[in-house]
Amino acid sequence: MLFIAFKAAGTRFALPARMVEEVTPLVSLAPLAGAPGYVAGVMNHRGRPLPVADMNVLLAGKPSRPFASTRIVVAEPRPGAKAGGRPALLGLMAERVFKTVELDEAAVSAPGAPAAPYIRGVAEHEGELVQILELGAILPAELLERLLAGLEAA
């Protein structure tokens, strides 16, 4: 199975590539007044506003730093969800977005200890532990609904 790998606070994470539409360079984001701290802002994505959540804030409690490898992963957190007749997308700012990695599904195992509800499993890749994320579980459901509703209204 193919994943997009990145780091947050020194820990390696991966998102299933099937949920990712594209990976873009870090662009200037417009601040979103009154948004929760994990919302980095809004970007223009192909002519429509796209809210961008900061994965470093969500996973490590600190804002992402603007490394040359900091990217925005444009993803579909709820496959099949629509906003304005198009797939409902969300931008995910992540530090040190490395590459795609191929992991055998059989190599992904349970964490072996209590973990956050968005950790689907762990696997080893190139001698380093990778935590596999369940994208739909990273954002609280009611907040994701509000973000997607805001997109539909735009």
Side-chain angles (χ1 to χ4, degrees):
M1 197 169 168
L2 195 61
F3 294 88
I4 305 292
F6 66 94
K7 280 197 173 181
T11 301
R12 197 170 215 190
F13 294 95
L15 292 168
R18 72 179 182 281
M19 301 182 93
V20 175
E21 179 176 288
E22 67 181 288
V23 178
T24 71
L26 182 60
V27 297
S28 179
L29 300 173
L32 194 56
Y38 64 83
V39 176
V42 179
M43 68 181 274
N44 181 352
H45 180 257
R46 301 176 193 254
R48 71 183 222 198
L50 184 70
V52 177
D54 189 331
M55 295 298 286
N56 218 47
V57 171
L58 289 167
L59 298 169
K62 296 185 272 186
S64 289
R65 296 166 289 180
F67 294 120
S69 59
T70 300
R71 300 280 186 266
I72 296 175
V73 178
V74 179
E76 191 176 357
R78 292 232 177 111
K82 300 283 184 196
R86 296 188 267 186
L89 302 173
L90 181 65
L92 304 168
M93 183 190 312
E95 288 182 1
R96 301 181 192 227
V97 177
F98 295 109
K99 56 186 171 184
T100 57
V101 296
E102 186 74 39
L103 298 172
D104 183 359
E105 190 69 32
V108 177
S109 59
Y118 49 78
I119 302 297
R120 193 179 107 210
V122 296
E124 184 185 344
H125 184 261
E126 297 178 351
E128 196 171 358
L129 190 65
V130 180
Q131 297 182 43
I132 311 300
L133 298 173
E134 183 64 49
L135 186 54
I138 293 173
L139 295 174
E142 75 176 272
L143 294 174
L144 182 56
E145 291 299 329
R146 286 166 58 194
L147 286 171
L148 295 177
L151 283 176
E152 184 129 338

